[in-house]
Amino acid sequence: MRKAFAGLAALFLLAVVVQFFLAASGAFNTAPNDESFRPHRTLGYVIFLLAVVLVIVAAVARMSGRLIGMAGLVAGLVVVQVLIAALARAFDTGDITTTAGQLIFGLHAVNGLAIVAVSMRILRLARALASGPAAGPAPTAS
């Protein structure tokens, strides 16, 4: 089960990296925002589902409390992504983007970097657990 968790953590990190690519390609697309960011938005829903599954698998696999907590943290950060985007759009008026909306939406990228950092830490710990002895102590976080 530890190897399955490590594989899921790797898949999650890969999805997050692809999400950054889709955000960049949407930003430089000449199509309207709704159309150009559709793949980014769709993958965001998949990432949320993967984050929830990551927490469940961590708990079922009886990973360390720290690792379960980090999986929960990354799921929470994904929820914050949606809230940031919704709040930024609330400041916009129709097709006109306001300065406040742009500033708030900038937090979307910063939070995305936090998701990458936590995901990388989860993957590193998960791989250490998957390659180590099954009954051995969990690696310490440094």
Side-chain angles (χ1 to χ4, degrees):
M1 193 68 150
R2 290 179 176 188
K3 288 186 180 187
F5 179 76
L8 184 60
L11 177 64
F12 183 82
L13 182 58
L14 176 64
V16 171
V17 170
V18 170
Q19 184 73 326
F20 268 89
F21 171 80
L22 293 175
S25 65
F28 292 106
N29 196 328
T30 57
N33 274 352
D34 285 344
E35 186 178 325
S36 62
F37 283 101
R38 186 172 293 133
H40 176 75
R41 209 171 12 262
T42 301
L43 184 57
Y45 295 125
V46 172
I47 287 174
F48 173 72
L49 290 174
L50 282 173
V52 170
V53 170
L54 193 67
V55 175
I56 293 168
V57 171
V60 169
R62 295 188 175 181
M63 303 305 260
S64 68
R66 178 179 302 269
L67 207 46
I68 295 170
M70 289 174 72
L73 172 63
V74 85
L77 289 171
V78 171
V79 170
V80 169
Q81 281 294 81
V82 175
L83 296 175
I84 290 170
L87 183 61
R89 280 192 299 272
F91 277 91
D92 295 344
T93 55
D95 290 339
I96 300 171
T97 304
T98 63
T99 302
Q102 288 176 339
L103 290 173
I104 292 170
F105 207 71
L107 295 174
H108 190 74
V110 173
N111 191 56
L113 291 174
I115 291 171
V116 169
V118 175
S119 300
M120 288 175 65
R121 184 73 177 138
I122 289 171
L123 180 58
R124 189 174 338 139
L125 291 174
R127 282 186 174 169
L129 283 173
S131 65
T140 60
S142 53

